[in-house]
């Protein structure tokens, strides 16, 4: 059986990601001719066209599109194995791609990342903030922070800490519309939707064996909490939000918690990584650092929430 053409696959991925043979050559430290020859050799061995070339553009073919995710995974695994073998013998250096939810990244991640980069100045971190659910393998992401229930997945997961969340409203809204005492009372209020799924996702509540389910009924649904907070402060309704998103407003009294005697399904902060356990030393170091620095703050916030 013929061995895989790792160089050819690496060059194909670099061209597909860089958009040109020139960009791929620069990224790989090779000549443009070497990259072109490697891709041509790979195409000949496979009997398919991976890239369409013209005088001005390079485009991934249909066959190449069907293979690009597997190719990226292959190259990433080979790179990780190489770096894992030599990484512990070198100073931490090189790139790391880290994905995180938008609001969490903005409000929480800055200090931990600053401390890590101060300790390891040769490391370069690309932070990708988005509330969309990413595919770490397909997108070449080394570490992903995610706040949600974990679906069945081949990704490796480290559960960092519980994340406190509360039903929030402004004192002005409650003074005008009344304070709900039971989750079913929310049906008569402007219940703003927030989450990463569709608008009709129900909210579940539980108290001493009693259960209640409510659908958001307000005019707004958002997948990012930063737009919801000012809406609530302005008296626009009631919403379930993670406490870290509205920490300043809770501290100032601009927002208050309601239905505090009811519990909801617990959310957790998870750190995900691709399935290969061969990871560069710098990625392992950042993973450990994030767990060590984020766990105390998240746990403290959750304990303060439970003590209310």
């Amino acid at each position: 059986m013929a061995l895989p053409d790792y160089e050819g696959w690496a060059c194909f991925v670099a061209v597909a990601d860089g958009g040109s043979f020139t960009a791929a050559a620069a990224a790989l430290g090779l000549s443009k001719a070497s990259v072109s020859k490697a891709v041509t050799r790979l195409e000949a061995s496979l009997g398919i066209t991976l890239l369409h070339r013209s005088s001005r553009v390079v485009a991934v073919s249909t066959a190449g599109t069907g293979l690009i995710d597997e190719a990226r995974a292959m190259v990433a695994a080979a790179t990780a194995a190489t770096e894992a073998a030599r990484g512990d013998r070198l100073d931490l250096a090189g790139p790391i791609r880290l994905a995180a939810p938008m609001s969490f990244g903005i409000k929480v991640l800055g200090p931990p990342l600053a401390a890590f980069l101060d300790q390891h100045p040769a490391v370069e971190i690309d932070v990708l903030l988005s509330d969309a659910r990413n595919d770490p393998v397909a997108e070449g992401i080394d570490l992903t922070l995610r706040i949600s229930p974990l679906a069945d997945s081949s990704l490796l997961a480290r559960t960092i800490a519980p994340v406190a969340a509360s039903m929030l409203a402004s004192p002005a809204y409650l003074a005008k519309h009344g304070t709900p005492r039971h989750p079913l009372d929310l049906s008569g209020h402007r219940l703003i939707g927030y989450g990463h799924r569709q608008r009709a996702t129900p909210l579940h509540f539980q108290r001493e064996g009693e259960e209640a389910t409510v659908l958001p009924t307000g005019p707004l649904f958002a997948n990012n909490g930063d737009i919801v907070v000012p809406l609530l402060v302005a008296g626009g309704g009631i919403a379930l939000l993670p406490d870290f998103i509205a920490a300043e407003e809770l501290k100032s009294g601009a927002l208050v918690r309601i239905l505090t005697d009811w519990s909801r399904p617990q959310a957790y902060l998870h750190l995900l990584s691709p399935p290969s356990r061969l990871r560069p030393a710098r990625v392992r170091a950042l993973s450990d650092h994030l767990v060590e620095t984020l766990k105390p703050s998240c746990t403290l916030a959750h304990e303060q929430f439970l003590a209310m």
Side-chain angles (χ1 to χ4, degrees), residues 1-9 41-42 45-46 74:
M1 183 180 73
L3 293 174
D5 185 352
Y6 292 111
E7 181 185 28
W9 284 112
R41 182 183 67 241
L42 177 62
S45 69
L46 298 174
M74 181 192 307

Side-chain angles (χ1 to χ4, degrees), residues 137-282:
V137 176
E139 299 175 39
I141 298 172
D142 298 299
L143 297 170
T144 298
L145 288 164
R146 186 174 293 170
I147 303 173
S148 67
L150 285 181
D152 292 338
S153 172
S154 61
L155 299 175
L156 302 179
R158 299 177 71 177
T159 299
I160 296 178
V163 176
S166 307
M167 297 298 302
L168 303 177
S170 71
Y173 176 89
L174 298 176
K176 182 177 180 179
H177 299 281
T179 300
R181 303 300 179 187
H182 191 282
L184 297 183
D185 295 339
L186 294 171
S187 60
H189 288 265
R190 294 166 62 90
L191 184 55
I192 306 303
Y194 162 72
H196 307 290
R197 293 171 288 180
Q198 66 274 14
R199 173 186 285 270
T201 301
L203 300 178
H204 301 287
F205 298 83
Q206 187 174 26
R207 180 182 66 181
E208 298 177 354
E210 182 182 3
E211 296 183 357
T213 299
V214 181
L215 287 175
T217 56
L220 179 74
F221 179 88
N223 69 346
N224 181 270
D226 287 327
I227 191 176
V228 178
V229 171
L231 178 70
L232 298 184
V233 172
I238 298 172
L240 173 64
L241 291 176
D243 281 11
F244 69 81
I245 291 181
E248 293 182 6
E249 290 75 13
L250 284 167
K251 185 177 181 180
S252 69
L255 294 177
V256 296
R257 299 179 177 92
I258 63 171
L259 297 174
T260 56
D261 54 338
W262 289 81
S263 63
R264 290 161 302 280
Q266 180 61 59
Y268 290 87
L269 174 65
H270 305 283
L271 183 62
L272 309 179
S273 57
S276 173
R277 295 184 181 274
L278 292 173
R279 293 183 294 168
R282 62 181 180 275

